[in-house]
Structure formats: structure tokens, C-alpha cells
Amino acid sequence: RKGRSGSGGGGTGPGTLVGAGNLGTGGGAGRGAGGGRGGGGPGARGRPRQEVRVQMRTAAPRVSGYLSPEQIMRVVRRNQAAVRYCYENELQRQPSLSGRIEIQWRIARNGSVTSARVGSTTMRNARVEGCIVRQVRRWRFPQPDGGEVDVRFPFIFGSG
């Protein structure tokens, strides 16, 4: 019987021609030996991770209704981390992303946000804008004294 080459453990090796063990006599099965080591293929290089300083500023809100700008600012500050996350998440995809997004929302008599939308934007990034709108819809404000409250609130984002 002829020995065969076969794969074994990551490599290939020729079998023993005839015999059992290392003696070349007898009618035994061939023995294959193989060991191998493979190198990694060319991988895609990722962007080096670097610390980016994120700037998020707010300007004075325009409020019409029965809550003061100070009351609005208190709730915005309390939820600032969630708004910053919306921007930072997209900044990973677009490192030069920046701009001003003005969100408009209405606060009902019970303090919940009944509607929120983008009023104006210079960022023009639907992911960031949609994320902020979803966050604002979850916010709770103090109950207004007289009626509903309309708010126009600018968020200004940049990195540097």
C-alpha cells in the first residue's frame, strides 16, 4: 500500500510508505504527521481611537407659556448627558460633524412633552436630530400654572 499525504493539525505531511511504526516493513496503515502555523491575512485597519473634546452649548430658550426659562433650563441640564450622547454617537462616524439644532416642543398641563420636532438645523444629520427629538419627548417638566408651554431651544455642537 502506498502512503498518502493528508492534512493534519493545520499542515500537511507525507505518510509512512509501508509499515507500522518507524520500521519500513509489514503491511500497516500509513502515518501522517503535520503541524502548521498560519499567519493572519491582511485585515482592514480601523481608525485610531483618539480622545475628542466635545463641545455642547445651549443658548437662551424662547418660551411662550406658563414656565420660566429657568425652569426649562433646569430640566435640559438634568438631561444634557442624553443629548450629548446623541451627538457623540454620530461623531464616531463623522469626525467633523458640528452645527446648531433648534428643537421645538410643547409641554402639556401635566408637565409631559406632547410634541417635539426639529425647528431648524445647520447640522443636517437625521440621526442626531431624531435622537434628540426622541429624548426631549421623554422629559418631564414642572406643571405649568396656566396652560401649555411652547419652547424653542437651540443646542450647539462642535468638536475640537
Side-chain angles (χ1 to χ4, degrees), residues 7-27:
S7 61
T12 59
T16 301
L17 206 46
V18 176
N22 289 329
L23 303 174
T25 59

Side-chain angles (χ1 to χ4, degrees), residues 3-148:
R4 297 188 183 138
S5 288
S7 61
T12 59
T16 301
L17 206 46
V18 176
N22 289 329
L23 303 174
T25 59
R31 194 175 75 164
R37 190 178 297 178
R45 286 185 45 184
R47 247 185 270 146
R49 198 144 167 93
Q50 58 186 0
E51 191 71 23
V52 175
R53 182 190 308 246
V54 173
Q55 299 170 357
M56 179 181 137
R57 298 187 336 255
T58 59
R62 285 183 282 181
V63 180
S64 62
Y66 299 93
L67 287 177
S68 71
E70 291 77 26
Q71 290 172 302
I72 302 295
M73 284 300 293
R74 235 174 284 151
V75 175
V76 171
R77 265 190 241 105
R78 193 168 49 234
N79 292 283
Q80 192 169 353
V83 173
R84 180 185 296 264
Y85 171 79
C86 293
Y87 173 64
E88 288 176 348
N89 198 32
E90 190 63 17
L91 193 61
Q92 300 297 320
R93 289 188 185 94
Q94 297 181 34
S96 63
L97 188 65
S98 66
R100 180 182 191 272
I101 302 172
E102 185 177 84
I103 304 294
Q104 294 178 247
W105 68 86
R106 174 165 283 171
I107 302 166
R109 296 182 110 161
N110 67 0
S112 67
V113 175
T114 56
S115 66
R117 68 180 184 86
V118 175
S120 64
T121 180
T122 62
M123 186 177 291
R124 289 177 177 65
N125 183 293
R127 284 190 184 107
V128 176
E129 295 157 4
C131 179
I132 294 172
V133 166
R134 285 189 300 277
Q135 293 301 323
V136 170
R137 285 185 180 143
R138 296 180 183 146
W139 295 355
R140 296 288 300 185
F141 291 85
Q143 292 183 358
D145 289 334
E148 294 184 330

